[in-house]
Amino acid sequence: MVTTSGLFRIAGKLLLLGLLVGLAIVVLYPLLWMGISSLKTNDEILSSPFAMPQALDFGSYARAWDRGVGQYFFNSALVTVVSVFLTTLVSAWAAFGLSRIEIPFSRIFLLLIVGGLMLAPAVALVPLVKLMQSWGIYNTYWALILLYTAFRIPFTTFLIRSYMVGLPREVDEAAIIDGAKTRQIFWRVILPMSKPIMASAVILHVIFAWNEFLFALVFVGDDSLKTLPVGLANLSSRATTDFPAVFAGMAIAAVPMIILFILGQRFFIRGLAEGVGK
């Protein structure tokens, strides 16, 4: 016989299951609709936008690629990869120094880094434009790379430091006894032990850089240098009569992020759980 408390537990589990199913539908349905629409013709999208395509038309992907999506994809990949490398390297070094080494005024440095999280990008647009122009890198890849790196270092440093603080001090002492120097301790001991949080930091930065729109719109003017978010916006305005190509471009932009998260979700969840929870 099921007791009252048992009924409440079953009802709670069913309610939670229903919420999770509803959330999955909300997240997955737009992606599925976008992918299905990219395989339709214009007439099918306009006449029956929610119906399945009568025949799969993959030509929309070729048209989208030829209309600039291929170049936009390369630009986003280049800016993302370089900024990820710079951000994680600098942030890991900073986190190591703030968590594993006794340095003067470390608390002040930590407060300054955390204070960087409060700076809104939109507020700094005008001085940043002047700065990039004075450096001669306005309307170049480096403008976006430096901006993405600078604005993500505070958060990434704070995230990695939260993880490194919880690592046992005994490993540092054992490495010092074995004759290891500070840089060797970082590269050979602490960094390998910090793989989960490093993976989380990389995934979060990739998602940010891949989808960032404001800086990519303001600091890059040439169409050949535009990243996917701005390029797809331009494609949508130009290809007003070719909706399948627009949806195909959106699908091309979304697939790498989906694959990245699926491959790295184990490290991502573990790194955030162990890092933020400390």
Side-chain angles (χ1 to χ4, degrees), residues 6 32 69-70 124 170 205 229:
L32 293 174
V69 173
E170 289 78 7
H205 184 95

Side-chain angles (χ1 to χ4, degrees), residues 41-250:
T41 62
N42 258 332
D43 293 337
E44 289 177 330
I45 291 177
L46 295 174
S47 61
S48 52
F50 300 105
M52 295 296 292
Q54 297 179 358
L56 301 181
D57 180 17
F58 291 94
S60 57
Y61 286 86
R63 295 196 303 274
W65 194 266
D66 292 337
R67 290 180 180 178
V69 173
Q71 183 63 44
Y72 304 147
F73 189 96
F74 171 79
N75 296 338
S76 288
L78 177 62
V79 171
T80 299
V81 169
V82 178
S83 63
V84 162
F85 175 77
L86 294 176
T87 301
T88 52
L89 180 62
V90 174
S91 300
W93 264 114
F96 175 75
L98 292 171
S99 62
R100 316 299 294 186
I101 303 175
E102 295 295 334
I103 58 177
F105 310 110
S106 60
R107 292 289 182 182
I108 296 177
F109 290 136
L110 179 60
L111 289 176
L112 289 175
I113 291 174
V114 174
L117 297 173
M118 304 176 187
L119 180 62
V123 177
L125 279 180
V126 174
L128 284 175
V129 169
K130 296 291 186 181
L131 182 64
M132 295 297 138
Q133 289 175 342
S134 65
W135 286 357
I137 60 174
Y138 182 80
N139 196 31
T140 65
Y141 291 126
W142 281 110
L144 296 181
I145 290 171
L146 292 180
L147 289 171
Y148 290 173
T149 301
F151 274 86
R152 293 300 291 183
I153 280 178
F155 172 77
T156 308
T157 301
F158 178 77
L159 188 67
I160 298 175
R161 178 191 173 275
S162 299
Y163 188 92
M164 288 185 176
V165 165
L167 298 178
R169 290 280 181 175
E170 289 78 7
V171 295
D172 303 60
E173 298 171 357
I176 293 174
I177 293 173
D178 290 338
K181 297 180 180 179
T182 303
R183 65 175 181 274
Q184 293 173 322
I185 296 174
F186 171 75
W187 288 108
R188 299 183 181 181
V189 179
I190 300 301
L191 202 59
M193 296 177 64
S194 303
K195 285 182 179 179
I197 198 64
M198 295 296 292
S200 300
V202 166
I203 292 174
L204 289 173
H205 184 95
V206 168
I207 294 174
F208 162 79
W210 193 262
N211 297 307
E212 200 281 327
F213 183 84
L214 180 61
F215 285 158
L217 176 66
V218 173
F219 291 91
V220 172
D222 291 347
D223 191 65
S224 61
L225 298 176
K226 293 184 183 300
T227 56
L228 272 169
V230 179
L232 289 176
N234 291 342
L235 178 64
S236 299
S237 62
R238 295 197 307 263
T240 53
T241 58
D242 193 355
F243 295 110
V246 175
F247 288 123
M250 294 179 180

